[in-house]
Amino acid sequence: MNLQTIKLKLLFSAVAAASTLAILGLPATAAPVENTQRRDERMQWWREARFGMFVHWGLYSGLAGTWDGKPVGTTGGMEWIQQRVKADTETYAERAIPLFKPAPGFAKTWAALAKEAGCRYIVFTSKHHDGFALHDSKVSDFDAGSILQRDLVKEVVEAARAQGLKVGFYHSVIDWHHDQYGYELSKQLPHPLKGKPYPNGTRDHNKYLDFLHAQVDELTSNYGTLDILWWDYSSQDFQGDTAWRAMDLMSKVRAKQPAIIMNNRLFRSPEAGWKSMGTDGFTGTLDPKYGDFITPEQHIPATGMPGIDWETCMTLNTTWGYSEHDHAWKSHELLIRNLIDIASKGGNYLLNIGPKADGSIPIQSVEALKAIGGWMKVNHEAIYATTASPFAQLPWGRATSKGNTLYLHVFEWPADGQLVVPMGADVVRAVLLAAPGQALTVESAGMQTKISLPAKAPDSIASVIRLELRSAPVIAVF
Ligand code: JFZ
């Protein structure tokens, strides 16, 4: 027997042992072994999806940015209201619980809007920093099951699946409710009582971690196949194994949900992709053992990040959780162009809604998502399953690719009707996605390809040309 066969035999016995455990109905103790191929398979739907809906909804939604009858602010995250007013959890709960009144069937409205907008997945807050869990938790009495006799997680998961959407949980590891959460252990992470001693004497953070792991176990055991776990969040001074028993937490999740995709926010180190505190500094590398993707928050990286999966999350106004005082709504033009810009750089767009306490969605958000949906109806093939643009930049807009097909997203319609593309190309056919039956005239000479366009743009925000090429284009480098 040579060395190779010995290795193989060992491998087979490991597999046999694992399947024996499975037959006995015992949970596998370790996460399934991964390699690049498995990871690519797991990531495929997410890489093709390009567009998801984020939902921030919880007790803070009823407070709506108001405390003592006054606005806490007109901008910024009002899901942080407990921290902004420095309320202890009893005061916060006492005021917020009576206001939180989810209407029957609210989740169906969310899922229908996500579908109409062209989103392929929904990520929603199973628990935010305030510690209130939306599921029916056996290990807490600060949860929808105990307070409302409802399992809101189940309602959302079922509504999402009924629309054919993938579904994931945003789960905060920061917890402003739990009486063993050791907030003195970090100077950087937020807590409403920061700077004050623990009201209950000493705390045993390990007990909080047992609770955190138990709730995550409920969430990954009781709702069928989950697609995403979106952790939030860590600081340089408090992260990973010390802060959350992170590796153990992730491997328990993977043991229950082998195909799940997780972000890297249980960590805050260079190996895990982070440059610094803040939400926009990335090293450009990510060892997948720390997570599958990185999460630029409220901004779009200047260039793509080859080899790294990334997702920009963004608000429609300036808050994640509902606020009645925030009127800084982004224009439909900006939102549609952001989606295109992100796809052209190879990333995903996770766009947030902050429903009100009854679960209804602010009208401005409904209108924005419908506007995106209208654009997607005509142009979705230029977004889904595309890869980054081969051009570093284009003076009139953006591009996405799919094999030998290029999609040109024209933001600035040329006044002389001639769109100049800085490349040499062997063009099979060019059409506008808004008029796919009508071939456009194309001339390619040297490093320049010119497309003749009608006088008027079919879409004033972004019109898309599908350019089928015989082979990869030769791009001019400036
Ligand atoms: C976090 C949350 O605090 C926020 O409420 C929202 O849920 C958002 C999507 O995620 O926001 C962060 C996370 C990390 C930093 C700042 C805001 N950070 O590291 O500075």
Side-chain angles (χ1 to χ4, degrees):
M1 206 190 293
N2 62 25
L3 203 62
Q4 209 62 30
T5 28
I6 296 174
K7 273 193 195 146
L8 267 177
K9 283 222 161 190
L10 283 172
L11 185 67
F12 276 122
S13 49
V15 170
S19 46
T20 311
L21 279 175
I23 291 162
L24 292 172
L26 297 171
T29 42
V33 185
E34 252 212 335
N35 54 39
T36 312
Q37 191 199 332
R38 281 234 185 83
R39 178 150 189 281
D40 284 343
E41 282 168 16
R42 218 158 39 74
M43 295 301 289
Q44 192 182 344
W45 74 263
W46 188 93
R47 289 173 181 160
E48 292 181 359
R50 288 287 171 254
F51 185 32
M53 177 188 267
F54 209 2
V55 187
H56 277 71
W57 188 62
L59 289 187
Y60 45 84
S61 310
L63 293 166
T66 303
W67 192 259
D68 283 339
K70 290 186 284 285
V72 168
T74 53
T75 57
M78 286 305 145
E79 71 288 350
W80 277 46
I81 189 166
Q82 184 193 348
Q83 203 270 346
R84 294 281 294 266
V85 302
K86 311 278 180 247
D88 59 47
T89 187
E90 289 77 19
T91 312
Y92 173 76
E94 199 182 304
R95 296 205 191 177
I97 285 172
L99 300 171
F100 188 57
K101 295 180 191 146
F106 74 91
K108 293 194 178 122
T109 323
W110 298 2
L113 183 62
K115 181 80 182 182
E116 191 181 343
C119 297
R120 288 268 173 96
Y121 60 107
I122 297 188
V123 177
F124 72 98
T125 46
S126 48
K127 183 190 85 167
H128 205 269
H129 305 336
D130 67 0
F132 184 79
L134 293 193
H135 69 297
D136 181 4
S137 177
K138 302 288 173 252
V139 296
S140 173
D141 51 16
F142 198 51
D143 65 306
S146 310
I147 308 275
L148 301 168
Q149 289 71 54
R150 269 169 85 175
D151 188 330
L152 301 171
V153 165
K154 187 161 182 270
E155 294 183 35
V156 178
V157 167
E158 283 174 0
R161 290 211 188 103
Q163 290 286 358
L165 300 164
K166 302 275 185 185
V167 64
F169 301 150
Y170 163 110
H171 199 76
S172 173
V173 290
I174 296 173
D175 194 307
W176 299 336
H177 173 77
H178 200 276
D179 66 4
Q180 298 301 316
Y181 177 87
Y183 63 82
E184 282 180 0
L185 300 172
S186 168
K187 292 204 183 336
Q188 292 169 317
L189 293 181
H191 194 284
L193 304 183
K194 205 169 179 143
K196 296 185 189 155
Y198 295 136
N200 51 336
T202 55
R203 289 186 172 196
D204 181 353
H205 190 70
N206 261 311
K207 287 196 179 135
Y208 167 67
L209 296 183
D210 292 341
F211 162 81
L212 169 70
H213 285 226
Q215 267 198 342
V216 169
D217 185 64
E218 292 178 332
L219 288 165
T220 51
S221 303
N222 301 339
Y223 303 92
T225 304
L226 296 177
D227 303 295
I228 297 172
L229 236 166
W230 212 101
W231 307 110
D232 204 30
Y233 70 91
S234 303
S235 55
Q236 285 159 324
D237 76 350
F238 204 54
Q239 55 146 337
D241 283 346
T242 359
W244 324 115
R245 294 190 214 133
M247 285 301 176
D248 183 38
L249 187 57
M250 287 178 78
S251 71
K252 282 170 174 162
V253 169
R254 288 209 202 284
K256 293 263 167 143
Q257 302 280 346
I260 206 163
I261 294 168
M262 291 186 259
N263 74 1
N264 67 338
R265 287 195 179 194
L266 291 179
F267 303 90
R268 181 66 69 138
S269 63
E271 315 82 77
W274 297 96
K275 235 182 206 155
S276 54
M277 277 312 282
T279 49
D280 58 352
F282 304 105
T283 54
T285 52
L286 170 62
D287 182 334
K289 77 177 186 204
Y290 300 106
D292 298 303
F293 66 102
I294 65 166
T295 55
E297 184 172 318
Q298 299 286 37
H299 89 114
I300 302 172
T303 59
M305 285 175 263
I308 278 211
D309 292 290
W310 58 276
E311 176 194 67
T312 285
C313 53
M314 205 180 269
T315 48
L316 285 169
N317 45 6
T318 77
T319 181
W320 301 95
Y322 178 66
S323 166
E324 56 199 356
H325 311 294
D326 189 327
H327 308 297
W329 298 99
K330 293 182 178 73
S331 70
H332 299 175
E333 176 181 285
L334 180 64
L335 295 168
I336 291 168
R337 289 185 177 177
N338 278 346
L339 173 62
I340 296 166
D341 186 30
I342 289 168
S344 82
K345 293 168 176 170
N348 281 13
Y349 199 22
L350 187 66
L351 196 54
N352 182 72
I353 58 166
K356 301 178 187 182
D358 62 359
S360 66
I361 303 164
I363 183 68
Q364 295 86 345
S365 304
V366 173
E367 282 167 358
L369 285 157
K370 286 189 174 175
I372 300 173
W375 185 87
M376 284 290 272
K377 211 168 179 168
V378 176
N379 300 295
H380 60 83
E381 68 164 89
I383 299 290
Y384 298 140
T386 58
T387 51
S389 169
F391 304 95
Q393 57 189 56
L394 290 165
W396 39 256
R398 300 288 183 275
T400 50
S401 351
K402 200 182 280 176
N404 279 340
T405 298
L406 269 183
Y407 295 97
L408 308 175
H409 302 248
V410 185
F411 296 171
E412 312 301 331
W413 198 251
D416 64 356
Q418 295 290 305
L419 188 78
V420 179
V421 191
M423 64 173 186
D426 190 355
V427 177
V428 181
R429 185 178 159 86
V431 295
L432 278 160
L433 291 185
Q438 227 173 302
L440 301 167
T441 308
V442 185
E443 274 176 55
S444 199
M447 291 303 281
Q448 218 176 58
T449 298
K450 278 190 185 174
I451 308 171
S452 300
L453 298 176
K456 201 176 165 315
D459 189 311
S460 61
I461 293 175
S463 308
V464 181
I465 297 154
R466 178 176 62 214
L467 208 54
E468 288 163 56
L469 309 180
R470 211 156 267 124
S471 53
V474 184
I475 309 290
V477 185
F478 299 100

